[in-house]
Amino acid sequence: MIAFVIRRLLQSLIVMLVVGFVAFSMFNFLGDPINNMVGQDATEEDRENLRVALGLDKPFYVQFLVYLSNAVQGNFGTSYRLGMPVVDALADRLPATLELVFCAAGLALLVGVPLGVYTGLHRDRWLSKVFLTLSLVGISLPTFLIGILLILFFAVQLGWLPSFGRGDVVDLGFWSTGFLTASGLKALILPSVTLALFQLTLVMRLVRAEMLEVLRTDYIKFARARGLSNRAVHFGHALGNTLVPVITITGLQIGSLIAFAIVTETVFQWPGMGLLFLQAVQFVDIPIMSSYLILIAFFFVAINLVVDLLYYFVDPRLRADRAVAGGH
Amino acid sequence: MKTRIAFVAATALAMALAVPVAAKTFKYSTTGDVIGMDPHINNEGPTNAMKDNLYEGLVSRHWDLTVRPALATEWTQVNPTTTRFKLRAGVTFHDGTPFTADDVVFSFDRIRGDQSDMKTYVTGVREVRKIDDLTVELVTEAPDPVLIQNLSLFHIMSKAWAQKHNTLLPLRGANAESFANRNANGTGPFKMVERVPDTRTVLVPNEKWWGKPEHNLTRVEFKPIANAATRVAALLTGEIDMMFPVPLQDVPRLERTAGVKVLQGPELRTIFLGMDQFRDELLDMPGTGKNPFKDVRVRRAFYQAIDINAIQRVVMRGASTPTGLMIAPGINGFSKELNQRYPFDPEASKKLLAEAGYPQGFPVTLDCPNDRYVNDEAICQAIVPMLTRVGINIKLNAQTKGLHFDKIGLKDGRRTSFYMLGWTPGTYDAHNMLFNIITLSSGPGSGAWNSGRYTNPKVEELTRSIAREIDPEKRTAMIHEAMKLHKEDFGHIPLHQQALAWGVRDSVAGIPQAANDAVMLKYVRMK
């Protein structure tokens, strides 16, 4: 078990290295950051000085090695655009993104699972058909369009919710939270819904399909033959067995939620890492871009690991197998 | 009982007197955050505009862009290269330290730091000499007619503050971080109380400011919003009072909306096309040994094939001012007569091309940015069929500004035959345009963005003289002569000045629109 975790963590290092290397090799295609950092009147000599000061005169693999050797010592460089250490910039934005992702994932699960169960159990009811049709909208509309439509309706027309930003946040020292103020909570609603919609429909359709599958199996028939109530069959036996794939998908989707947050954060000017990354791309802010990509790679690996560990707890068969294996 | 009533009355009176002036908070937004507060690092329009609310130079710009006294009350020319400035007495920085000549000398050394991009505003100044606590002399290398024009962005920082916070030099890059980049301490009409990068920058008026405030603000919040549609929505909901730029397609909609209006006016930047007049063989015609752009008839043919009014109507939706000159009205040296464009005439173009020996046209690539100027790529897309019509085999290469500027600039050796560029003379004077765009050898560093390497010995000579001529009348005459020569040479193809578009709610009583797109808070009044 411990060996397994350690092995996975070592693998994550390799993934992060590869992502970093690929990222650095791509930055050449974004153009020269110097043009964004100096005014039009800067002389060629000034430009060259700055290029040397930033190490941009070296080939990309040298830049990558320099970045790596600094990163190993915990120094991820200074943002070209913000003029502050990358670690500070990312740490400032991390809470905003994680709170948004947390709300979106919660929303997707809390609404998606019940809807999936309902549409699975009552396939032919008209309400199920309404849900399924609506879920098509969630899957097919692009995120930025949903965001803009929500802003138009709830902020501009009705005036109920703010159109941008995070509202007032409370700084806890290591974490700035929007959960503790009314304006912070209000500001969370539209971005969370926007970000959750795709995941919500995904979860709902997945749970529905799994329910239909499980309800056909022999042990459900046997449970019914035992004369168990519908309630016990549906929620005690069926739902539990649909959860394994739901956990996998949801877990993996949290990674994509963090990554997809780029679009949502840009639409709502949500001060998270996604917005930071997008602005870094426009500015060719190499230290921010590389660190963000490597961090996201780490998140993906870490989430995968947690999902694998969760399996172990949810699925008793895995535990049993191991016990048997140990007895050989 | 009586005393009690008196006491109540007195309390009521005291409360009435103590009630602060109604809070007037002005919230505004634009596409991106300012890139750092250090007055001597970044030279970027919106950033300079924000720093100008916090810091001041010896002189400052009024919203009509004329130069007014600021930290200097008056100045006199001691000799052709020395100007003496009398400094304003009784001025303090936001942290309370008094402003003296030492701060001017210190700021001069600081702005010339290696990493400073603002030193362009003091080029040509050799020395700043302290005469006494309230007098300094600026010594220039040569007579400098635009010295005063440049000084408004030579912001003065407190020497004591910089020493205390160990920010003696403007630093950026690898592992550098400047304290002054995240904090501010100037003498300006506003002081910064909070800054969360990319989220908000909060300013309050500086009660100890030396001037008489024309604004009536009690608090200012600057909240950048990257997405244009969200920015428009935030203006409509009233979450912000003002934002810019309004996307061209939203201008009619905002104008129809009650409570919101759009302020439009010409910008100082001129958008133009340039042509490679240097290489013996055009990059797009390898093996032919020919460069058609060396022939003035070909350059003229290109000029007259472009229907600028169609671009204004269709691509810019009316939000541009076609121009015949390389500088905008409002730039010193502008001339109305010279601004007349040569007529749009595709037939004449075809004839000129035939005369020059290219009746079948020739292949050429148009290099264009796609995220720098208003509708830049769309303008180039409109130009392509116009030139195809006169027989040019034209290809469009539109890419992000970083790559575009590398390609056409010195970095990649001006690897372009035909390109788009925009330029605002940072000094608001024609010499800056002549020096950077229209000449190659009018001084060290000249022609940095003359990517087509147009050159005319007469223009070079005139530009050198313009740099030194103190007599305004003679100087203007020389500027006009140089501009006229360039125009007759078809050295570049000027297109237009794009329009500024500010969306303003009716909560704002007055906000002058400066032609440099700067929000000058000291003139903003709320209802």
Side-chain angles (χ1 to χ4, degrees):
Chain A
M1 178 78 183
I2 290 168
F4 169 75
V5 172
I6 290 173
R7 201 163 58 235
R8 290 296 289 271
L9 286 177
L10 286 177
Q11 282 168 1
S12 81
L13 276 182
I14 297 170
V15 172
M16 285 156 71
L17 272 178
V18 171
V19 167
F21 186 77
V22 173
F24 264 87
S25 65
M26 302 293 284
F27 293 151
N28 279 333
F29 297 104
L30 288 172
D32 190 349
I34 303 293
N35 286 322
N36 298 313
M37 297 180 73
V38 300
Q40 56 178 18
D41 293 298
T43 62
E44 195 49 31
E45 196 192 337
D46 289 339
R47 287 166 198 265
E48 201 49 48
N49 282 344
L50 188 57
R51 211 168 270 139
V52 173
L54 298 177
L56 291 169
D57 52 332
K58 304 194 178 68
F60 83 85
Y61 50 86
V62 178
Q63 292 182 36
F64 177 61
L65 288 178
V66 171
Y67 173 85
L68 268 191
S69 64
N70 286 331
V72 169
Q73 298 161 38
N75 175 2
F76 290 85
T78 307
S79 160
Y80 296 166
R81 186 174 67 91
L82 298 167
M84 63 197 282
V86 170
V87 177
D88 290 1
L90 285 174
D92 281 356
R93 311 303 171 90
L94 188 68
T97 296
L98 288 188
E99 285 188 358
L100 177 63
V101 167
F102 176 76
C103 287
L107 202 62
L109 283 180
L110 289 180
V111 180
V113 172
L115 284 185
V117 172
Y118 181 86
T119 50
L121 293 178
H122 311 286
R123 301 170 58 184
D124 299 322
R125 287 211 192 150
W126 63 271
L127 200 55
S128 297
K129 291 188 174 139
V130 170
F131 288 146
L132 285 175
T133 315
L134 283 181
S135 74
L136 273 182
V137 177
I139 278 206
S140 51
L141 272 189
T143 313
F144 69 88
L145 191 62
I146 294 174
I148 291 292
L149 288 176
L150 288 177
I151 290 177
L152 204 60
F153 193 67
F154 289 100
V156 178
Q157 297 294 330
L158 296 174
W160 291 351
L161 297 167
S163 61
F164 75 100
R166 216 182 153 199
D168 297 323
V169 292
V170 177
D171 197 351
L172 305 177
F174 61 99
W175 190 272
S176 67
T177 180
F179 286 143
L180 298 176
T181 62
S183 74
L185 289 172
K186 266 168 97 176
L188 260 168
I189 298 175
L190 291 185
S192 311
V193 171
T194 308
L195 188 58
L197 217 51
F198 182 83
Q199 314 299 331
L200 191 157
T201 50
L202 197 72
V203 169
M204 165 183 157
R205 287 179 162 257
L206 185 73
V207 171
R208 175 177 176 272
E210 286 295 322
M211 279 301 268
L212 292 176
E213 183 85 26
V214 170
L215 286 176
R216 279 199 293 269
T217 52
D218 288 343
Y219 73 90
I220 296 291
K221 286 180 193 153
F222 182 67
R224 288 198 194 282
R226 279 163 64 200
L228 294 178
S229 70
N230 263 346
R231 196 187 148 84
V233 174
H234 291 158
F235 296 99
H237 295 254
L239 185 58
N241 280 289
T242 64
L243 282 186
V244 172
V246 172
I247 288 173
T248 323
I249 297 291
T250 315
L252 294 182
Q253 288 298 320
I254 284 179
S256 1
L257 275 178
I258 295 174
F260 269 129
I262 290 180
V263 178
T264 308
E265 287 182 4
T266 311
V267 171
F268 290 95
Q269 189 68 24
W270 189 261
M273 293 191 304
L275 183 65
L276 183 70
F277 176 69
L278 201 81
Q279 288 174 337
V281 171
Q282 285 162 352
F283 198 88
V284 200
D285 193 344
I286 291 174
I288 292 272
M289 283 192 288
S290 43
S291 306
Y292 172 85
L293 289 173
I294 290 172
L295 185 65
I296 291 292
F298 172 74
F299 277 159
F300 264 92
V301 176
I303 290 167
N304 258 317
L305 177 63
V306 172
V307 168
D308 283 350
L309 292 179
L310 273 181
Y311 272 173
Y312 192 73
F313 292 105
V314 172
D315 195 336
R317 284 170 299 183
L318 286 178
R319 267 172 288 170
D321 284 352
R322 299 230 163 177
V324 172
H328 273 290
Chain B
M1 193 67 188
K2 236 180 190 169
T3 48
R4 184 145 169 229
I5 290 169
F7 175 72
V8 170
T11 317
L13 187 69
M15 277 171 72
L17 288 176
V19 165
V21 219
K24 300 214 188 275
T25 304
F26 173 65
K27 298 179 188 165
Y28 72 113
S29 180
T30 185
T31 48
D33 200 3
V34 298
I35 47 178
M37 290 296 170
D38 193 311
H40 306 140
I41 292 189
N42 293 294
N43 183 18
E44 190 230 20
T47 303
N48 289 345
M50 174 57 84
K51 291 186 295 197
D52 226 20
N53 295 314
L54 302 163
Y55 286 93
E56 290 172 310
L58 296 176
V59 297
S60 74
R61 275 186 199 278
H62 188 257
W63 64 263
D64 66 9
L65 300 187
T66 56
V67 168
R68 307 279 169 96
L71 290 178
T73 49
E74 54 191 294
W75 49 91
T76 47
Q77 193 92 35
V78 180
N79 62 51
T81 56
T82 309
T83 314
R84 177 174 293 189
F85 292 81
K86 193 99 201 81
L87 303 181
R88 195 176 292 277
V91 175
T92 55
F93 287 94
H94 296 157
D95 69 349
T97 50
F99 158 73
T100 68
D102 289 326
D103 299 311
V104 181
V105 176
F106 165 73
S107 299
F108 177 66
D109 288 337
R110 194 171 187 278
I111 200 174
R112 288 189 307 163
D114 269 350
Q115 308 258 318
S116 163
D117 197 24
M118 298 296 283
K119 56 172 164 290
T120 172
Y121 295 101
V122 293
T123 44
V125 181
R126 194 193 322 147
E127 192 191 351
V128 173
R129 227 184 272 148
K130 174 183 171 180
I131 304 301
D132 60 52
D133 267 357
L134 290 176
T135 315
V136 292
E137 277 182 1
L138 264 66
V139 185
T140 54
E141 305 280 357
D144 187 350
V146 290
L147 174 71
I148 302 294
Q149 296 286 325
N150 272 336
L151 288 181
S152 72
L153 279 172
F154 166 36
H155 286 141
I156 307 299
M157 183 188 274
S158 158
K159 184 181 181 183
W161 183 75
Q163 278 171 337
K164 186 171 153 200
H165 297 287
N166 192 22
T167 181
L168 294 170
L169 279 175
L171 286 181
R172 61 177 169 185
N175 294 308
E177 206 204 342
S178 157
F179 178 83
N181 217 22
R182 288 165 80 175
N183 299 276
N185 177 44
T187 57
F190 290 87
K191 50 187 182 186
M192 189 166 81
V193 289
E194 191 189 2
R195 175 158 164 78
V196 184
D198 290 334
T199 303
R200 66 182 171 275
T201 302
V202 181
L203 314 182
V204 295
N206 170 14
E207 310 84 23
K208 296 201 181 111
W209 189 50
W210 51 268
K212 192 173 170 306
E214 289 182 41
H215 68 82
N216 64 352
L217 309 176
T218 55
R219 184 181 164 91
V220 178
E221 293 177 14
F222 170 66
K223 300 178 159 185
I225 303 176
N227 187 296
T230 312
R231 206 160 63 242
V232 172
L235 184 72
L236 290 173
T237 62
E239 285 164 89
I240 51 177
D241 302 299
M242 182 267 173
M243 68 89 168
F244 66 102
V246 179
L248 292 186
Q249 71 271 12
D250 289 328
V251 171
R253 187 189 158 193
L254 285 185
E255 276 173 343
R256 282 198 308 272
T257 310
V260 177
K261 62 176 184 288
V262 180
L263 296 182
Q264 280 186 301
E267 205 193 35
L268 292 176
R269 177 183 286 124
T270 301
I271 308 289
F272 57 88
L273 302 176
M275 298 152 283
D276 178 8
Q277 295 150 60
F278 178 81
R279 289 186 181 83
D280 289 326
E281 183 179 271
L282 204 64
L283 290 172
D284 292 290
M285 298 168 73
T288 60
K290 283 184 179 170
N291 180 353
F293 285 130
K294 280 182 175 273
D295 189 327
V296 66
R297 289 170 296 188
V298 172
R299 303 201 294 269
R300 178 171 190 151
F302 270 56
Y303 186 122
Q304 294 200 287
I306 293 171
D307 183 355
I308 194 68
N309 292 322
I311 292 176
Q312 185 210 21
R313 208 172 49 243
V314 182
V315 181
M316 301 300 287
R317 301 182 198 226
S320 70
T321 316
T323 177
L325 264 187
M326 298 288 283
I327 51 171
I331 301 291
N332 181 39
F334 177 79
S335 151
K336 214 163 172 188
E337 298 102 75
L338 285 173
N339 201 32
Q340 198 65 36
R341 277 183 71 87
Y342 291 94
F344 162 59
D345 190 347
E347 287 314 309
S349 292
K350 280 187 202 159
K351 235 165 82 195
L352 283 164
L353 283 170
E355 279 172 28
Y358 301 97
Q360 307 300 319
F362 57 89
V364 68
T365 304
L366 172 57
D367 288 306
C368 202
N370 61 14
D371 53 3
R372 182 65 187 90
Y373 313 114
V374 179
N375 291 355
D376 40 13
E377 186 176 6
I379 296 167
C380 291
Q381 279 168 343
I383 287 171
V384 166
M386 291 174 186
L387 288 171
T388 309
R389 208 165 77 185
V390 299
I392 304 297
N393 173 14
I394 186 165
K395 257 192 353 215
L396 177 60
N397 175 31
Q399 54 187 348
T400 181
K401 56 190 177 201
L403 293 171
H404 176 73
F405 291 131
D406 273 359
K407 181 167 191 240
I408 74 165
L410 287 167
K411 178 157 185 262
D412 289 1
R414 300 164 163 142
R415 206 161 37 79
T416 181
S417 306
F418 189 33
Y419 62 91
M420 173 190 259
L421 186 62
W423 193 269
T424 315
T427 53
Y428 306 123
D429 183 273
H431 175 263
N432 178 280
M433 169 60 89
L434 290 164
F435 181 82
N436 284 295
I437 307 285
I438 294 177
T439 56
L440 281 175
S441 55
S442 62
S446 97
W449 288 99
N450 183 359
S451 299
R453 282 174 273 187
Y454 160 80
T455 180
N456 176 333
K458 192 87 200 5
V459 177
E460 304 277 352
E461 196 193 308
L462 279 165
T463 305
R464 274 192 294 271
S465 315
I466 291 165
R468 279 157 202 205
E469 182 55 63
I470 301 285
D471 181 53
E473 243 167 77
K474 269 198 213 155
R475 191 165 180 274
T476 306
M478 285 195 284
I479 292 174
H480 288 175
E481 197 187 338
M483 290 289 197
K484 188 155 177 282
L485 286 168
H486 171 261
K487 191 178 173 186
E488 286 163 358
D489 281 345
F490 294 87
H492 294 80
I493 304 174
L495 295 175
H496 58 232
Q497 282 96 35
Q498 57 199 31
L500 305 174
W502 292 8
V504 183
R505 286 194 71 83
D506 56 9
S507 52
V508 179
I511 179 164
Q513 186 174 38
N516 60 358
D517 214 9
V519 177
M520 299 188 176
L521 294 172
K522 60 183 170 186
Y523 301 113
V524 176
R525 293 189 67 83
M526 298 288 285
K527 275 183 185 156

